[in-house]
Amino acid sequence: MSRSISALERLLGAELVQRSTHHVDLSTAGVALYERVREPLRTLHGAVLSLPECDATPSGLLKILVVQDFAAIMLPAVLSAFAQRFPRVRFDVRITGPFVDWSRETFDIAIAVVMGPLKDSNLKLRKLGLSLAGFYAAPAYLIRRGRPKSLYDEEHTWVMHPEAIRRYKMNPERVQFQIDDFLVVRELLLTGAGIGMLPGFVARAALRQGLLERVPIKKDFRPLQGQWVLLYPSSGLVSKRGSVFRDFLCDVLDLD
């Protein structure tokens, strides 16, 4: 405290405290400064204590940026359960595509799939689980057309995300349906239109209901594997609502 007062005196160019062997008293300049800053400091102190984050219970607005398929399939149940536990938290959820420049976005927390190292050093990352892709088709299609011998079997109708076409070096002219939304791919597969690649969590419900079947394709095929992650800014403090939501998501999420 003594060093802080001395530094302030040097900054102001005035003695704020008169020191003696037995006493320490405010100088005239010290009394004047105290009178001028007392009310502003009291107001600032009250404002800090009244902030929602000072409460034991998380509250306030949480801005979440999330990719579309996760938002549609997984997020509603998570938000509902979290809101029941922490009713004072409000949500601003923005949906984005899988390929986005995260450094240009403003958010408290983002939920994304990354296929490799995160390039943006301004973000922190917390792993949630693996995102494994596979091939699926409706039972009616497999009864009608059989199972493919390889990924490049031209006797079959393919429903593929453009990124998968690029990674597997498929001939785009041999792919009847190129669709950059896995939810639309799934719905098309359910109609029996063809064989398509889906992340496991997108296909899971239809697979359990018998509406889709796995189509093993070993030749010329290595499954796409990504990592589900939470992203949040590395600079500054993470709000209490943000850290609580982050921990809650990691506890309840089932991505297998």
Side-chain angles (χ1 to χ4, degrees):
M1 182 180 292
S2 179
R3 287 194 295 268
S4 298
I5 293 174
S6 296
L8 182 58
E9 288 177 329
R10 290 194 298 270
L11 178 66
L12 298 176
E15 184 183 55
L16 300 176
V17 176
Q18 294 175 337
R19 304 166 180 85
S20 66
T21 305
H22 302 290
H23 297 283
V24 176
D25 295 309
L26 288 175
S27 67
T28 301
V31 171
L33 179 63
Y34 172 74
E35 292 296 334
R36 293 177 184 178
V37 302
R38 178 174 57 182
E39 287 306 317
L41 286 177
R42 183 178 297 169
T43 301
L44 177 62
H45 182 68
V48 170
L49 291 180
S50 65
L51 285 173
E53 289 303 312
C54 293
D55 292 343
T57 303
S59 60
L61 182 66
L62 182 64
K63 186 170 184 179
I64 303 172
L65 195 65
V66 57
V67 292
Q68 182 177 4
D69 44 10
F70 184 96
I73 297 173
M74 309 292 290
L75 192 61
V78 172
L79 291 182
S80 178
F82 187 84
Q84 290 181 42
R85 186 175 300 183
F86 304 106
R88 295 176 61 188
V89 175
R90 297 178 292 110
F91 300 93
D92 180 358
V93 180
R94 303 301 171 95
I95 312 303
T96 184
F99 306 104
V100 62
D101 185 354
W102 301 103
S103 64
R104 295 180 178 272
E105 302 292 337
T106 302
F107 54 86
D108 295 311
I109 287 179
I111 304 171
V113 175
V114 295
M115 304 299 292
L118 190 64
K119 298 179 181 179
D120 192 341
S121 60
N122 293 323
L123 297 173
K124 287 186 177 181
L125 177 151
R126 181 167 176 176
K127 295 180 180 179
L128 292 173
L130 291 177
S131 175
L132 298 175
F135 283 88
Y136 300 86
Y141 174 89
L142 296 175
I143 291 173
R144 186 173 74 250
R145 302 283 295 275
R147 297 176 181 269
K149 298 177 181 179
S150 76
L151 182 60
Y152 308 100
D153 192 333
E154 297 180 4
E155 299 299 319
H156 284 272
T157 301
W158 298 97
V159 185
M160 300 292 290
H161 193 288
E163 180 66 14
I165 295 174
R166 184 186 68 79
R167 286 180 178 268
Y168 295 134
K169 298 180 180 179
M170 300 178 71
N171 183 352
E173 296 183 0
R174 302 293 184 181
V175 178
Q176 186 168 4
F177 300 100
Q178 297 185 47
I179 302 174
D180 67 352
D181 186 319
F182 286 122
L183 296 179
V184 178
V185 171
R186 182 188 63 185
E187 295 307 305
L188 192 56
L189 295 182
L190 289 172
T191 70
I195 301 172
M197 191 193 73
L198 291 173
F201 83 96
V202 176
R204 179 169 52 191
L207 189 66
R208 289 174 175 172
Q209 296 172 34
L211 302 176
L212 290 178
E213 291 185 19
R214 296 184 188 274
V215 182
I217 301 179
K218 297 182 179 180
K219 185 179 179 182
D220 304 319
F221 173 66
R222 295 180 61 188
L224 286 179
Q225 179 174 312
Q227 182 77 48
W228 280 107
V229 298
L230 284 176
L231 302 175
Y232 48 98
S234 60
S235 58
L237 296 174
V238 178
S239 65
K240 182 176 293 184
R241 58 185 174 273
S243 61
V244 171
F245 181 79
R246 182 181 61 197
D247 295 341
F248 180 85
L249 189 61
C250 293
D251 290 340
V252 304
L253 203 56
D254 178 15
L255 290 170
D256 295 333

